Amino acid sequence: MKQFIIIGHKAVTAPFSLNDLPGAAGRMDILCRCVNATLFLSHDLRRDVRVYLVLKGEPDPPKLIRFDGNEVRYLSPDERSAASLIKKALEKSAQEFWTESMPGVSIRKGDFGDLLSELNKKIIYLREDGEDIRGKRFEEPLFVLGDHLGLTDEEEKLIEGYEYEVVSVGPLSLHADHCIVLVHNEMDRQEKEKEV
Ligand SMILES: C[S@@+](CC[C@H](N)C(=O)[O-])C[C@H]1O[C@@H](n2cnc3c(N)ncnc32)[C@H](O)[C@@H]1O
């Protein structure tokens, strides 16, 4: 199982219009692209992947949304489709435990720290100035990425409470969803090598 967490500092925590994902929905477009990059292959889904979104925007933060590649249905590879599943999840009243809103999509109340403590795993924190990903091998990895704002000092402090590594996918600052594609590519190549 490969797991990804993406933090949406402005992403709204109540149902939103699908017509303004970057604006009124608080850069929900970034999170939707990350869901797609995390889960989609061409004409298939990555079944061994889970992606968690941390929504920290108004009016009722924080909330966590989980997409499970093995269970998810009714998701197509466009931003609006992922957004519509996130919106449906936000229509549920979030509890302290996971509640499924649609197959493979669940929501709960909670912040980044709650999620890290629930998963309780070594963290691979993706950051521009980290160690080069080339040659690294990951077992059941948990990756953390930021949105357009990166991670706050407080969020970095939370990561430091766990075993962690800071890893870079290259010398330039990229969009989070592009980083996810590169990370998958590294792991895909390693898995293919193991097979031969
Ligand atoms: C658009 S970037 C954030 C830029 C933000 N202005 C900052 O300074 O952190 C979004 C996220 O993608 C990831 N990221 C971007 N470029 C990366 C790179 N070269 N290596 C690893 N992660 C990267 C980081 O997790 C970052 O928080």
Side-chain angles (χ1 to χ4, degrees):
M1 171 70 66
K2 297 155 188 155
Q3 304 190 86
F4 291 80
I5 300 176
I6 302 100
I7 305 182
H9 295 93
K10 304 283 177 199
V12 295
T13 40
F16 51 87
S17 161
L18 297 181
N19 295 329
D20 189 11
L21 300 179
R27 297 311 313 266
M28 196 65 80
D29 59 316
I30 298 177
L31 299 186
C32 295
R33 286 194 291 275
C34 285
V35 168
N36 291 350
T38 308
L39 294 180
F40 275 102
L41 293 167
S42 177
H43 302 295
D44 203 358
L45 286 166
R46 293 181 182 273
R47 314 275 168 196
D48 62 339
V49 175
R50 274 194 196 141
V51 54
Y52 297 89
L53 308 175
V54 181
L55 310 187
K56 300 187 77 160
E58 294 302 322
D60 188 23
K63 286 183 180 169
L64 302 169
I65 293 188
R66 180 178 69 199
F67 284 74
D68 185 333
N70 197 35
E71 308 278 333
V72 73
R73 305 279 178 273
Y74 314 115
L75 177 66
S76 49
D78 59 275
E79 276 172 41
R80 277 177 78 93
S81 170
S84 124
L85 290 177
I86 295 171
K87 180 178 174 181
K88 277 209 160 52
L90 289 171
E91 283 164 4
K92 283 233 162 224
S93 117
Q95 310 293 317
E96 302 293 330
F97 48 86
W98 292 105
T99 312
E100 193 169 59
S101 52
M102 290 288 280
V105 185
S106 305
I107 185 163
R108 61 164 281 202
K109 269 195 162 304
D111 206 346
F112 181 48
D114 301 316
L115 182 57
L116 292 183
S117 115
E118 175 182 317
L119 300 175
N120 194 21
K121 282 184 79 75
K122 177 178 174 181
I123 296 163
I124 315 295
Y125 171 24
L126 290 173
R127 201 175 64 195
E128 290 83 335
D129 62 350
E131 277 182 49
D132 195 343
I133 194 167
R134 283 283 149 92
K136 288 194 180 287
R137 308 222 158 231
F138 304 111
E139 289 296 325
E140 306 277 312
L142 169 63
F143 297 100
V144 173
L145 298 100
D147 58 3
H148 60 301
L149 301 173
L151 259 68
T152 63
D153 291 348
E154 252 177 49
E155 288 157 352
E156 291 197 338
K157 281 256 148 24
L158 288 170
I159 289 178
E160 287 163 15
Y162 295 81
E163 191 190 347
Y164 76 102
E165 257 184 282
V166 185
V167 170
S168 159
V169 294
L172 303 180
S173 184
L174 305 176
H175 290 293
D177 58 320
H178 297 174
C179 296
I180 292 169
V181 172
L182 292 172
V183 167
H184 269 319
N185 184 255
E186 290 294 322
M187 293 189 290
D188 292 344
R189 285 165 181 273
Q190 288 174 8
E191 280 163 25
K192 202 75 199 163
E193 264 171 31
K194 266 195 217 157
E195 282 171 23
V196 289

